[in-house]
Amino acid sequence: MTSDTDAVTELPPRLRRAIEIVYAVEGVTSARIWVWPGRVAVGVCGSSAVTSADLLRRIELAVAPLREPDETWEFGLLDEA
């Protein structure tokens, strides 16, 4: 079994940087990132101090410089259950 820290170190450097950027967005309390060829998905939990739509918009803008041409990025909320 691997820890969250081990999982992050297994990410390619560009995606490791993406998760660092996501955690730097105000209001993010936890985050996950999934990678497939040509596709990246980012899921987050946010604090009650921010609206979900605003949080996702700010995350999308923050990671935009990391996107590669012809790559699809999707953003969503994680269940806190």
Side-chain angles (χ1 to χ4, degrees):
M1 186 168 156
T2 62
S3 70
D4 287 343
T5 304
D6 293 338
V8 169
T9 59
E10 294 173 9
L11 287 173
R14 180 177 68 96
L15 296 176
R16 190 172 333 129
R17 179 67 184 133
I19 200 78
E20 291 169 356
I21 290 170
V22 168
Y23 270 108
V25 172
E26 185 178 346
V28 171
T29 59
S30 63
R32 297 278 189 258
I33 193 165
W34 295 268
V35 183
W36 300 271
R39 188 172 168 203
V40 177
V42 178
V44 298
C45 289
S47 71
S48 59
V50 296
T51 65
S52 299
D54 182 52
L55 181 62
L56 293 175
R57 181 187 58 77
R58 288 188 289 122
I59 291 168
E60 188 171 355
L61 290 172
V63 298
L66 298 176
R67 291 184 180 188
E68 293 183 350
D70 299 324
E71 186 175 60
T72 301
W73 284 55
E74 298 179 14
F75 302 89
L77 299 174
L78 297 172
D79 284 337
E80 294 188 44

